[in-house]
Amino acid sequence: MAALTSALGAIDPGNYNFLQDVVYRGSGIVLDHEKQYLFESRLSPVARARGLQSINDLCSLIRATGGDEVRKQVIEAMTTNETYFYREPGQYDAITNVLLPEVKALRSATRKFNCWSAASSTGQEAYSLAVLLMEHGLGGWNVQILGTDLTSHVVEKARQGKYLQIEVNRGLPVSLLLKYFRRAGLEWQLSDQIRSMVRFEAFDLRNSMRSLGPFDLVFCRNVLVYFDIETRRSILRQMHGTLFRGGWLLLGTAEAPIGLDDLYERRMVGSAVVYIAR
């Protein structure tokens, strides 16, 4: 493979392979040679912040020192955190029209509803769900939404519940913005009422999930595509153990629990594909 041209010079082929391994070992994420531009754009700021002349120097630093903190920075920089409010609206319609009526009938006595946003990034997914539940009569219920992400800095941003104008413009209806947010300088601050429904923690999806759940609903969207096949299957098997029987798993449009038909029933609910825990 030819050396890579970046703002900080060329990345040697051996160092590119080294970085691929660092990311895979630290996160399980597979980044092939077509993702070279990501290493250039995302690791150049990490190298500059440490006063290094190139990404190759960053690799040398990790090799020379063991570099646990630097490794963590590399892994966090390479983790994709694309998200926005009410992403894939058909899934939220399915929750509103089918799941919530079922849960209200089933849990009328306990009035409990537990959910997990398993790749929550900066929190828009979990907060979208919290707002939806509030809007559809679960404000007085014991609602617990867990949001988890591998990277600590995005978990901290999610906890703050503050978003720039460009972030709230992506998917959030103006009526809900004005109802549940207030201006805070250049940002919009989510209300304490909604924030109290969600807690965020750092979590690696490759770790044991035995202490999690049981959940009525799990979002695991647009993250499995970054893992190899065996890791995907392991994650989905474990997730099945966190769901109530009949609980819903929602994946990204390009994802499916292939080879796990004994665990999940595929069902079309409106325009959304839903996987029901058997």
Side-chain angles (χ1 to χ4, degrees):
M1 183 181 68
L4 307 177
T5 302
S6 76
L8 295 184
I11 303 176
D12 294 338
N15 282 334
Y16 183 76
N17 293 335
F18 172 72
L19 290 169
Q20 285 177 303
D21 186 65
V22 167
V23 173
Y24 179 74
R25 290 177 181 272
S27 68
I29 293 173
V30 177
L31 294 171
D32 59 28
H33 294 313
E34 294 179 358
K35 298 295 191 298
Q36 296 170 359
Y37 67 96
L38 286 177
F39 282 93
E40 296 178 9
S41 62
R42 296 185 181 183
L43 295 187
S44 290
V46 176
R48 288 194 192 97
R50 292 187 168 269
L52 301 173
Q53 297 301 309
S54 70
I55 297 174
N56 292 317
D57 291 342
L58 188 67
C59 294
S60 297
L61 177 63
I62 296 172
R63 287 188 172 103
T65 64
D68 288 345
E69 182 60 33
V70 186
R71 285 175 184 268
K72 181 180 178 182
Q73 285 186 295
V74 167
I75 293 163
E76 291 192 349
M78 295 307 301
T79 302
T80 300
N81 294 306
E82 169 70 6
T83 188
Y84 49 89
F85 289 99
Y86 290 98
R87 188 178 188 179
E88 298 181 24
Q91 294 186 347
Y92 290 97
D93 291 341
I95 294 168
T96 300
N97 297 327
V98 177
L99 180 61
L100 291 189
E102 290 179 356
V103 168
K104 287 179 179 179
L106 184 65
R107 304 279 166 74
S108 59
T110 61
R111 293 165 65 88
K112 290 184 178 180
F113 189 61
N114 294 340
C115 313
W116 179 20
S117 173
S120 57
S121 186
T122 48
Q124 286 95 319
E125 179 177 272
Y127 287 137
S128 294
L129 179 60
V131 168
L132 183 148
L133 297 178
M134 183 68 71
E135 287 287 290
H136 289 87
L138 273 72
W141 282 45
N142 179 7
V143 172
Q144 297 185 24
I145 302 172
L146 171 65
T148 65
D149 198 272
L150 178 67
T151 53
S152 57
H153 71 277
V154 298
V155 168
E156 182 54 37
K157 176 174 170 55
R159 287 174 179 155
Q160 293 172 4
K162 289 183 179 180
Y163 299 97
L164 296 170
Q165 186 70 52
I166 192 173
E167 293 173 309
V168 297
N169 284 349
R170 297 190 70 193
L172 184 65
V174 173
S175 60
L176 297 180
L177 173 65
L178 298 177
K179 186 173 182 178
Y180 293 107
F181 291 77
R182 62 174 174 79
R183 274 285 192 184
L186 297 177
E187 297 175 303
W188 288 88
Q189 174 69 68
L190 187 61
S191 72
D192 290 343
Q193 184 183 31
I194 296 299
R195 289 174 62 204
S196 68
M197 298 168 67
V198 188
R199 79 180 195 276
F200 291 98
E201 304 291 342
F203 184 74
D204 188 331
L205 292 176
R206 297 172 300 166
N207 290 346
S208 172
M209 301 177 189
R210 290 181 180 177
S211 64
L212 302 180
F215 299 110
D216 299 288
L217 170 66
V218 172
F219 282 106
C220 185
R221 304 190 298 182
N222 308 300
V223 64
L224 293 178
V225 292
Y226 296 104
F227 296 108
D228 58 49
I229 292 175
E230 284 309 309
T231 303
R232 292 179 206 172
R233 288 177 176 167
S234 174
I235 290 170
L236 288 168
R237 288 190 191 100
Q238 287 210 76
M239 279 189 172
H240 179 267
T242 73
L243 281 161
F244 285 111
R245 298 296 77 81
W248 283 23
L249 171 67
L250 295 178
L251 302 177
T253 54
E255 300 164 323
I258 297 172
L260 297 174
D261 292 343
D262 58 323
L263 300 182
Y264 298 99
E265 173 195 348
R266 184 183 186 276
R267 186 182 302 173
M268 287 297 301
V269 181
S271 63
V273 177
V274 174
Y275 297 95
I276 312 294
R278 297 182 187 274

